[in-house]
Amino acid sequence: MSSIPNHVAFIMDGNGRWAKKQGLQRLLGHKKGADVVKSVIQQCMDKGINYVTLFAFSVENWKRSSEEVSGLMDLLRKYFSAEFSNIMEKNIRVRFIGDRTGQSKLPNDITDMLAGIEERTKDNTGITIVFAINYSGRDEIVRAAQMFAEDVDASRRYASDFDEEVFSDYLDTIHIPDPDLVIRTSGEQRISNFMLWQMAYSELYFCETPWPDFTEEDLDKALESYAERDRRFGVA
Ligand code: FPP
């Protein structure tokens, strides 16, 4: 098995605390965080990682102040409009996971933007970057189960078809391999409703560095730790 993970997922934590420590508004922490996103994508490409997932906005994040929520939405608009040509130039395929159904709280222009980016990058053959936006693991599982149940109601499926493989195809991550390594920055050691189904056998790595200060050296340390692990997938 390769010592370089095929798929690395990031829980980008600590933007707010980083900003507070510098005497800045929380949004400036997110802004610096978006710059780090760009650098980390390039670093992962250079290291031969094939899939990167970034937890950018959770379903729970809507409970933050309206100023922070609208600031984060604006940051997403700006990030993708500034980065789109670079994404195409680097042959990057972009996927989004998270609730984009009619009931979702995402502004329509953002839902449209995400659909457009996914469509326009779908034939790119380089690294796949997965942005988790309006995402939570339980919400994804519930939406997938609802879709399966609707297919049963409409006689497109039998309940007896239900197994792990079939269910995986109803998840937002369809055709994306499970993360091998999940990195959470800024000291907290929890999963926070991220990729609950997909992380069944992921290796976990927690570091103290807040996301806005995350450097290639931090990434290298995480990859070194991963390379030393003995992954057994439940087999003795
Ligand atoms: C967690 O830090 C981070 C977020 C809720 C948002 C992550 C967003 C970005 C890194 C920038 C935008 C992303 C893209 C893809 C352009 P926190 O606010 O919970 O930090 P705290 O725990 O210190 O308060």
Side-chain angles (χ1 to χ4, degrees):
M1 193 175 297
S2 166
S3 62
I4 288 284
N6 185 44
H7 183 173
V8 181
F10 292 91
I11 302 178
M12 308 183 285
D13 196 16
N15 296 347
R17 276 164 287 166
W18 178 90
K20 194 174 175 200
K21 216 170 160 192
Q22 327 271 322
L24 301 171
Q25 288 185 329
R26 292 178 61 81
L27 264 174
L28 290 171
H30 297 313
K31 197 159 175 274
K32 176 74 170 34
D35 294 338
V36 174
V37 166
K38 275 186 241 175
S39 316
V40 165
I41 291 174
Q42 185 59 53
Q43 290 154 16
C44 290
M45 284 173 68
D46 295 344
K47 290 174 200 303
I49 294 161
N50 296 315
Y51 293 84
V52 170
T53 297
L54 297 149
F55 200 0
F57 192 90
S58 72
V59 168
E60 292 74 24
N61 286 157
W62 294 109
K63 294 184 196 130
R64 294 189 175 194
S65 73
S66 59
E67 192 192 355
E68 186 170 351
V69 168
S70 62
L72 277 164
M73 291 299 133
D74 263 346
L75 197 54
L76 290 173
R77 288 183 185 99
K78 286 191 187 123
Y79 176 85
F80 287 109
S81 68
E83 278 303 292
F84 188 73
S85 57
N86 194 29
I87 286 171
M88 292 308 282
E89 216 166 278
K90 293 188 172 148
N91 196 21
I92 295 173
R93 188 160 64 119
V94 178
R95 289 274 307 269
F96 296 98
I97 57 172
D99 185 7
R100 288 187 276 155
T101 59
Q103 295 88 9
S104 106
K105 288 189 189 148
L106 280 176
N108 287 339
D109 71 298
I110 300 243
T111 319
D112 293 347
M113 175 180 77
L114 306 188
I117 294 168
E118 234 171 18
E119 174 60 26
R120 289 161 76 189
T121 65
K122 73 177 191 312
D123 296 324
N124 289 351
T125 54
I127 194 169
T128 298
I129 308 293
V130 183
F131 292 92
I133 295 175
N134 195 24
Y135 177 86
S136 90
R138 285 187 177 177
D139 176 73
E140 178 193 32
I141 290 168
V142 167
R143 283 185 289 103
Q146 281 167 346
M147 282 190 282
F148 182 82
E150 280 162 22
D151 278 354
V152 172
D153 281 351
S155 305
R156 288 186 292 263
R157 286 271 189 198
Y158 295 107
S160 57
D161 288 345
F162 197 80
D163 64 15
E164 289 189 12
E165 209 178 311
V166 168
F167 189 57
S168 292
D169 284 350
Y170 284 84
L171 293 168
D172 297 340
T173 48
I174 179 170
H175 300 144
I176 298 169
D178 291 344
D180 300 290
L181 172 64
V182 178
I183 299 174
R184 181 176 187 140
T185 59
S186 211
E188 313 287 354
Q189 302 200 356
R190 53 178 174 256
I191 299 307
S192 300
N193 218 345
F194 189 48
M195 302 188 94
L196 296 178
W197 175 273
Q198 298 84 349
M199 277 171 58
Y201 287 102
S202 304
E203 295 294 325
L204 307 180
Y205 181 86
F206 300 99
C207 70
E208 292 298 322
T209 311
W211 181 254
D213 283 337
F214 191 81
T215 60
E216 186 161 11
E217 203 182 312
D218 292 304
L219 177 60
D220 284 338
K221 279 190 202 152
L223 294 176
E224 276 161 31
S225 165
Y226 174 83
E228 284 164 8
R229 300 193 191 183
D230 177 19
R231 298 184 78 195
R232 289 194 297 271
F233 301 93
V235 182

PDB file of all heavy atoms in Angstrom, residues 12-18 26 30 33-34 37 55-56 61 64 68 72 75-76 79 131 211, ligand 1:
ATOM      1  N   MET A  12     -10.947  22.129   8.773  1.00  0.00           N
ATOM      2  CA  MET A  12     -10.128  23.355   8.851  1.00  0.00           C
ATOM      3  C   MET A  12     -10.601  24.187  10.045  1.00  0.00           C
ATOM      4  O   MET A  12     -11.419  25.080   9.907  1.00  0.00           O
ATOM      5  CB  MET A  12     -10.301  24.151   7.556  1.00  0.00           C
ATOM      6  CG  MET A  12     -10.066  23.348   6.285  1.00  0.00           C
ATOM      7  SD  MET A  12     -10.198  24.349   4.788  1.00  0.00           S
ATOM      8  CE  MET A  12     -11.960  24.574   4.644  1.00  0.00           C
ATOM      9  N   ASP A  13     -10.067  23.892  11.210  1.00  0.00           N
ATOM     10  CA  ASP A  13     -10.576  24.547  12.420  1.00  0.00           C
ATOM     11  C   ASP A  13      -9.593  25.605  12.912  1.00  0.00           C
ATOM     12  O   ASP A  13      -8.390  25.505  12.674  1.00  0.00           O
ATOM     13  CB  ASP A  13     -10.799  23.477  13.498  1.00  0.00           C
ATOM     14  CG  ASP A  13     -11.667  23.990  14.636  1.00  0.00           C
ATOM     15  OD1 ASP A  13     -12.333  25.035  14.475  1.00  0.00           O
ATOM     16  OD2 ASP A  13     -11.677  23.344  15.702  1.00  0.00           O
ATOM     17  N   GLY A  14     -10.139  26.593  13.612  1.00  0.00           N
ATOM     18  CA  GLY A  14      -9.293  27.552  14.327  1.00  0.00           C
ATOM     19  C   GLY A  14      -9.203  28.933  13.702  1.00  0.00           C
ATOM     20  O   GLY A  14      -8.436  29.775  14.183  1.00  0.00           O
ATOM     21  N   ASN A  15      -9.979  29.187  12.653  1.00  0.00           N
ATOM     22  CA  ASN A  15      -9.922  30.516  12.012  1.00  0.00           C
ATOM     23  C   ASN A  15     -10.319  31.625  12.983  1.00  0.00           C
ATOM     24  O   ASN A  15      -9.688  32.673  13.033  1.00  0.00           O
ATOM     25  CB  ASN A  15     -10.875  30.587  10.807  1.00  0.00           C
ATOM     26  CG  ASN A  15     -10.494  29.632   9.704  1.00  0.00           C
ATOM     27  OD1 ASN A  15      -9.408  29.081   9.712  1.00  0.00           O
ATOM     28  ND2 ASN A  15     -11.399  29.439   8.750  1.00  0.00           N
ATOM     29  N   GLY A  16     -11.392  31.362  13.744  1.00  0.00           N
ATOM     30  CA  GLY A  16     -11.908  32.382  14.661  1.00  0.00           C
ATOM     31  C   GLY A  16     -10.922  32.676  15.782  1.00  0.00           C
ATOM     32  O   GLY A  16     -10.612  33.836  16.078  1.00  0.00           O
ATOM     33  N   ARG A  17     -10.387  31.611  16.379  1.00  0.00           N
ATOM     34  CA  ARG A  17      -9.423  31.793  17.480  1.00  0.00           C
ATOM     35  C   ARG A  17      -8.152  32.484  16.984  1.00  0.00           C
ATOM     36  O   ARG A  17      -7.588  33.338  17.653  1.00  0.00           O
ATOM     37  CB  ARG A  17      -9.068  30.437  18.116  1.00  0.00           C
ATOM     38  CG  ARG A  17     -10.073  30.007  19.162  1.00  0.00           C
ATOM     39  CD  ARG A  17      -9.941  28.552  19.500  1.00  0.00           C
ATOM     40  NE  ARG A  17     -10.444  27.702  18.425  1.00  0.00           N
ATOM     41  CZ  ARG A  17     -10.230  26.398  18.313  1.00  0.00           C
ATOM     42  NH1 ARG A  17      -9.513  25.781  19.234  1.00  0.00           N
ATOM     43  NH2 ARG A  17     -10.744  25.710  17.320  1.00  0.00           N
ATOM     44  N   TRP A  18      -7.733  32.122  15.776  1.00  0.00           N
ATOM     45  CA  TRP A  18      -6.536  32.756  15.191  1.00  0.00           C
ATOM     46  C   TRP A  18      -6.759  34.263  15.068  1.00  0.00           C
ATOM     47  O   TRP A  18      -5.900  35.062  15.447  1.00  0.00           O
ATOM     48  CB  TRP A  18      -6.262  32.137  13.810  1.00  0.00           C
ATOM     49  CG  TRP A  18      -5.090  32.723  13.091  1.00  0.00           C
ATOM     50  CD1 TRP A  18      -3.795  32.302  13.165  1.00  0.00           C
ATOM     51  CD2 TRP A  18      -5.104  33.830  12.179  1.00  0.00           C
ATOM     52  NE1 TRP A  18      -2.998  33.082  12.354  1.00  0.00           N
ATOM     53  CE2 TRP A  18      -3.779  34.026  11.739  1.00  0.00           C
ATOM     54  CE3 TRP A  18      -6.104  34.672  11.682  1.00  0.00           C
ATOM     55  CZ2 TRP A  18      -3.428  35.031  10.828  1.00  0.00           C
ATOM     56  CZ3 TRP A  18      -5.755  35.675  10.784  1.00  0.00           C
ATOM     57  CH2 TRP A  18      -4.433  35.853  10.368  1.00  0.00           C
ATOM     58  N   ARG A  26     -13.383  37.837  13.217  1.00  0.00           N
ATOM     59  CA  ARG A  26     -13.378  36.415  12.844  1.00  0.00           C
ATOM     60  C   ARG A  26     -13.279  36.219  11.332  1.00  0.00           C
ATOM     61  O   ARG A  26     -12.594  35.329  10.845  1.00  0.00           O
ATOM     62  CB  ARG A  26     -14.658  35.737  13.348  1.00  0.00           C
ATOM     63  CG  ARG A  26     -14.738  35.628  14.857  1.00  0.00           C
ATOM     64  CD  ARG A  26     -16.061  35.000  15.272  1.00  0.00           C
ATOM     65  NE  ARG A  26     -16.207  33.646  14.745  1.00  0.00           N
ATOM     66  CZ  ARG A  26     -15.654  32.567  15.290  1.00  0.00           C
ATOM     67  NH1 ARG A  26     -14.950  32.671  16.386  1.00  0.00           N
ATOM     68  NH2 ARG A  26     -15.825  31.375  14.761  1.00  0.00           N
ATOM     69  N   HIS A  30     -11.155  33.699   8.535  1.00  0.00           N
ATOM     70  CA  HIS A  30     -11.650  32.864   7.429  1.00  0.00           C
ATOM     71  C   HIS A  30     -10.962  33.262   6.112  1.00  0.00           C
ATOM     72  O   HIS A  30     -10.671  32.418   5.277  1.00  0.00           O
ATOM     73  CB  HIS A  30     -13.166  33.005   7.287  1.00  0.00           C
ATOM     74  CG  HIS A  30     -13.932  32.512   8.490  1.00  0.00           C
ATOM     75  ND1 HIS A  30     -13.669  31.300   9.086  1.00  0.00           N
ATOM     76  CD2 HIS A  30     -14.954  33.064   9.206  1.00  0.00           C
ATOM     77  CE1 HIS A  30     -14.493  31.123  10.117  1.00  0.00           C
ATOM     78  NE2 HIS A  30     -15.271  32.189  10.214  1.00  0.00           N
ATOM     79  N   GLY A  33      -7.772  31.857   6.036  1.00  0.00           N
ATOM     80  CA  GLY A  33      -8.012  30.424   5.848  1.00  0.00           C
ATOM     81  C   GLY A  33      -8.210  30.082   4.377  1.00  0.00           C
ATOM     82  O   GLY A  33      -7.737  29.040   3.900  1.00  0.00           O
ATOM     83  N   ALA A  34      -8.881  30.960   3.649  1.00  0.00           N
ATOM     84  CA  ALA A  34      -9.107  30.707   2.218  1.00  0.00           C
ATOM     85  C   ALA A  34      -7.781  30.761   1.455  1.00  0.00           C
ATOM     86  O   ALA A  34      -7.572  30.000   0.500  1.00  0.00           O
ATOM     87  CB  ALA A  34     -10.109  31.724   1.656  1.00  0.00           C
ATOM     88  N   VAL A  37      -6.195  27.482   1.930  1.00  0.00           N
ATOM     89  CA  VAL A  37      -6.838  26.462   1.074  1.00  0.00           C
ATOM     90  C   VAL A  37      -6.093  26.380  -0.264  1.00  0.00           C
ATOM     91  O   VAL A  37      -5.731  25.295  -0.729  1.00  0.00           O
ATOM     92  CB  VAL A  37      -8.342  26.788   0.853  1.00  0.00           C
ATOM     93  CG1 VAL A  37      -8.934  25.970  -0.292  1.00  0.00           C
ATOM     94  CG2 VAL A  37      -9.130  26.545   2.143  1.00  0.00           C
ATOM     95  N   PHE A  55     -13.582  20.826   4.576  1.00  0.00           N
ATOM     96  CA  PHE A  55     -14.862  21.107   5.262  1.00  0.00           C
ATOM     97  C   PHE A  55     -14.992  22.634   5.374  1.00  0.00           C
ATOM     98  O   PHE A  55     -14.413  23.250   6.271  1.00  0.00           O
ATOM     99  CB  PHE A  55     -14.826  20.452   6.641  1.00  0.00           C
ATOM    100  CG  PHE A  55     -16.174  20.234   7.286  1.00  0.00           C
ATOM    101  CD1 PHE A  55     -17.357  20.597   6.680  1.00  0.00           C
ATOM    102  CD2 PHE A  55     -16.233  19.617   8.535  1.00  0.00           C
ATOM    103  CE1 PHE A  55     -18.588  20.372   7.289  1.00  0.00           C
ATOM    104  CE2 PHE A  55     -17.460  19.382   9.162  1.00  0.00           C
ATOM    105  CZ  PHE A  55     -18.634  19.767   8.534  1.00  0.00           C
ATOM    106  N   ALA A  56     -15.727  23.238   4.454  1.00  0.00           N
ATOM    107  CA  ALA A  56     -15.768  24.706   4.371  1.00  0.00           C
ATOM    108  C   ALA A  56     -16.945  25.329   5.122  1.00  0.00           C
ATOM    109  O   ALA A  56     -16.849  26.457   5.599  1.00  0.00           O
ATOM    110  CB  ALA A  56     -15.809  25.142   2.905  1.00  0.00           C
ATOM    111  N   ASN A  61     -23.155  25.492  10.954  1.00  0.00           N
ATOM    112  CA  ASN A  61     -22.601  26.858  10.873  1.00  0.00           C
ATOM    113  C   ASN A  61     -23.650  27.941  10.613  1.00  0.00           C
ATOM    114  O   ASN A  61     -23.393  29.126  10.831  1.00  0.00           O
ATOM    115  CB  ASN A  61     -21.510  26.948   9.793  1.00  0.00           C
ATOM    116  CG  ASN A  61     -20.201  26.293  10.170  1.00  0.00           C
ATOM    117  OD1 ASN A  61     -19.411  25.916   9.312  1.00  0.00           O
ATOM    118  ND2 ASN A  61     -19.941  26.146  11.465  1.00  0.00           N
ATOM    119  N   ARG A  64     -24.304  30.508  13.395  1.00  0.00           N
ATOM    120  CA  ARG A  64     -23.389  31.620  13.722  1.00  0.00           C
ATOM    121  C   ARG A  64     -24.068  32.952  13.403  1.00  0.00           C
ATOM    122  O   ARG A  64     -25.140  32.984  12.808  1.00  0.00           O
ATOM    123  CB  ARG A  64     -22.096  31.457  12.934  1.00  0.00           C
ATOM    124  CG  ARG A  64     -21.364  30.219  13.385  1.00  0.00           C
ATOM    125  CD  ARG A  64     -19.980  30.129  12.800  1.00  0.00           C
ATOM    126  NE  ARG A  64     -19.298  28.967  13.377  1.00  0.00           N
ATOM    127  CZ  ARG A  64     -18.012  28.742  13.288  1.00  0.00           C
ATOM    128  NH1 ARG A  64     -17.233  29.584  12.636  1.00  0.00           N
ATOM    129  NH2 ARG A  64     -17.470  27.675  13.829  1.00  0.00           N
ATOM    130  N   GLU A  68     -21.284  36.740  10.233  1.00  0.00           N
ATOM    131  CA  GLU A  68     -20.271  35.727   9.897  1.00  0.00           C
ATOM    132  C   GLU A  68     -20.760  34.828   8.757  1.00  0.00           C
ATOM    133  O   GLU A  68     -20.005  34.503   7.837  1.00  0.00           O
ATOM    134  CB  GLU A  68     -19.916  34.892  11.139  1.00  0.00           C
ATOM    135  CG  GLU A  68     -18.757  33.941  10.855  1.00  0.00           C
ATOM    136  CD  GLU A  68     -18.191  33.250  12.106  1.00  0.00           C
ATOM    137  OE1 GLU A  68     -18.576  33.628  13.232  1.00  0.00           O
ATOM    138  OE2 GLU A  68     -17.368  32.338  11.929  1.00  0.00           O
ATOM    139  N   LEU A  72     -18.998  34.466   5.193  1.00  0.00           N
ATOM    140  CA  LEU A  72     -18.491  33.194   4.666  1.00  0.00           C
ATOM    141  C   LEU A  72     -19.054  32.921   3.268  1.00  0.00           C
ATOM    142  O   LEU A  72     -18.351  32.437   2.383  1.00  0.00           O
ATOM    143  CB  LEU A  72     -18.829  32.046   5.623  1.00  0.00           C
ATOM    144  CG  LEU A  72     -17.866  31.874   6.800  1.00  0.00           C
ATOM    145  CD1 LEU A  72     -18.477  30.990   7.893  1.00  0.00           C
ATOM    146  CD2 LEU A  72     -16.525  31.276   6.348  1.00  0.00           C
ATOM    147  N   LEU A  75     -17.188  35.015   0.925  1.00  0.00           N
ATOM    148  CA  LEU A  75     -15.840  34.480   0.730  1.00  0.00           C
ATOM    149  C   LEU A  75     -15.867  33.340  -0.295  1.00  0.00           C
ATOM    150  O   LEU A  75     -14.983  33.237  -1.149  1.00  0.00           O
ATOM    151  CB  LEU A  75     -15.329  33.982   2.087  1.00  0.00           C
ATOM    152  CG  LEU A  75     -13.839  33.747   2.244  1.00  0.00           C
ATOM    153  CD1 LEU A  75     -13.046  34.981   1.856  1.00  0.00           C
ATOM    154  CD2 LEU A  75     -13.532  33.384   3.707  1.00  0.00           C
ATOM    155  N   LEU A  76     -16.912  32.512  -0.230  1.00  0.00           N
ATOM    156  CA  LEU A  76     -17.028  31.413  -1.202  1.00  0.00           C
ATOM    157  C   LEU A  76     -17.213  31.978  -2.616  1.00  0.00           C
ATOM    158  O   LEU A  76     -16.569  31.527  -3.560  1.00  0.00           O
ATOM    159  CB  LEU A  76     -18.207  30.493  -0.847  1.00  0.00           C
ATOM    160  CG  LEU A  76     -18.027  29.640   0.420  1.00  0.00           C
ATOM    161  CD1 LEU A  76     -19.324  28.915   0.768  1.00  0.00           C
ATOM    162  CD2 LEU A  76     -16.890  28.621   0.239  1.00  0.00           C
ATOM    163  N   TYR A  79     -13.866  33.422  -3.654  1.00  0.00           N
ATOM    164  CA  TYR A  79     -12.845  32.390  -3.840  1.00  0.00           C
ATOM    165  C   TYR A  79     -13.028  31.712  -5.196  1.00  0.00           C
ATOM    166  O   TYR A  79     -12.089  31.587  -5.972  1.00  0.00           O
ATOM    167  CB  TYR A  79     -12.930  31.349  -2.712  1.00  0.00           C
ATOM    168  CG  TYR A  79     -11.964  30.209  -2.882  1.00  0.00           C
ATOM    169  CD1 TYR A  79     -10.657  30.315  -2.423  1.00  0.00           C
ATOM    170  CD2 TYR A  79     -12.341  29.030  -3.535  1.00  0.00           C
ATOM    171  CE1 TYR A  79      -9.747  29.283  -2.607  1.00  0.00           C
ATOM    172  CE2 TYR A  79     -11.439  27.998  -3.730  1.00  0.00           C
ATOM    173  CZ  TYR A  79     -10.147  28.134  -3.257  1.00  0.00           C
ATOM    174  OH  TYR A  79      -9.248  27.108  -3.458  1.00  0.00           O
ATOM    175  N   PHE A 131     -15.298  20.089  -1.974  1.00  0.00           N
ATOM    176  CA  PHE A 131     -15.609  21.104  -0.970  1.00  0.00           C
ATOM    177  C   PHE A 131     -16.904  20.693  -0.271  1.00  0.00           C
ATOM    178  O   PHE A 131     -17.930  20.479  -0.931  1.00  0.00           O
ATOM    179  CB  PHE A 131     -15.789  22.478  -1.618  1.00  0.00           C
ATOM    180  CG  PHE A 131     -14.516  23.054  -2.191  1.00  0.00           C
ATOM    181  CD1 PHE A 131     -14.179  22.827  -3.519  1.00  0.00           C
ATOM    182  CD2 PHE A 131     -13.665  23.814  -1.408  1.00  0.00           C
ATOM    183  CE1 PHE A 131     -13.006  23.352  -4.059  1.00  0.00           C
ATOM    184  CE2 PHE A 131     -12.487  24.347  -1.934  1.00  0.00           C
ATOM    185  CZ  PHE A 131     -12.160  24.115  -3.264  1.00  0.00           C
ATOM    186  N   TRP A 211      -5.850  26.576  11.481  1.00  0.00           N
ATOM    187  CA  TRP A 211      -5.849  26.489  10.017  1.00  0.00           C
ATOM    188  C   TRP A 211      -5.149  27.673   9.332  1.00  0.00           C
ATOM    189  O   TRP A 211      -4.351  27.459   8.406  1.00  0.00           O
ATOM    190  CB  TRP A 211      -7.283  26.310   9.488  1.00  0.00           C
ATOM    191  CG  TRP A 211      -7.312  26.197   8.002  1.00  0.00           C
ATOM    192  CD1 TRP A 211      -7.722  27.146   7.113  1.00  0.00           C
ATOM    193  CD2 TRP A 211      -6.854  25.074   7.212  1.00  0.00           C
ATOM    194  NE1 TRP A 211      -7.559  26.693   5.816  1.00  0.00           N
ATOM    195  CE2 TRP A 211      -7.029  25.429   5.863  1.00  0.00           C
ATOM    196  CE3 TRP A 211      -6.309  23.828   7.527  1.00  0.00           C
ATOM    197  CZ2 TRP A 211      -6.684  24.566   4.822  1.00  0.00           C
ATOM    198  CZ3 TRP A 211      -5.964  22.971   6.485  1.00  0.00           C
ATOM    199  CH2 TRP A 211      -6.152  23.340   5.152  1.00  0.00           C
TER     200      TRP A 211
HETATM  201  C1  FPP B   1     -13.619  26.668  11.378  1.00  0.00           C
HETATM  202  O1  FPP B   1     -13.004  27.686  12.120  1.00  0.00           O
HETATM  203  C2  FPP B   1     -13.729  27.046  10.006  1.00  0.00           C
HETATM  204  C3  FPP B   1     -14.896  27.300   9.354  1.00  0.00           C
HETATM  205  C4  FPP B   1     -16.223  27.215  10.004  1.00  0.00           C
HETATM  206  C5  FPP B   1     -14.929  27.714   7.963  1.00  0.00           C
HETATM  207  C6  FPP B   1     -13.815  27.226   7.096  1.00  0.00           C
HETATM  208  C7  FPP B   1     -13.682  28.185   6.007  1.00  0.00           C
HETATM  209  C8  FPP B   1     -12.515  28.558   5.405  1.00  0.00           C
HETATM  210  C9  FPP B   1     -11.209  27.961   5.727  1.00  0.00           C
HETATM  211  C10 FPP B   1     -12.457  29.634   4.413  1.00  0.00           C
HETATM  212  C11 FPP B   1     -13.390  29.496   3.265  1.00  0.00           C
HETATM  213  C12 FPP B   1     -13.178  28.268   2.505  1.00  0.00           C
HETATM  214  C13 FPP B   1     -13.029  28.224   1.179  1.00  0.00           C
HETATM  215  C14 FPP B   1     -13.028  26.915   0.529  1.00  0.00           C
HETATM  216  C15 FPP B   1     -12.872  29.409   0.346  1.00  0.00           C
HETATM  217  P1  FPP B   1     -13.814  28.323  13.325  1.00  0.00           P
HETATM  218  O2  FPP B   1     -14.445  29.568  12.833  1.00  0.00           O
HETATM  219  O3  FPP B   1     -14.744  27.322  13.901  1.00  0.00           O
HETATM  220  O4  FPP B   1     -12.658  28.647  14.305  1.00  0.00           O
HETATM  221  P2  FPP B   1     -12.747  28.694  15.896  1.00  0.00           P
HETATM  222  O5  FPP B   1     -13.066  27.280  16.337  1.00  0.00           O
HETATM  223  O6  FPP B   1     -11.372  29.130  16.277  1.00  0.00           O
HETATM  224  O7  FPP B   1     -13.808  29.676  16.250  1.00  0.00           O
END
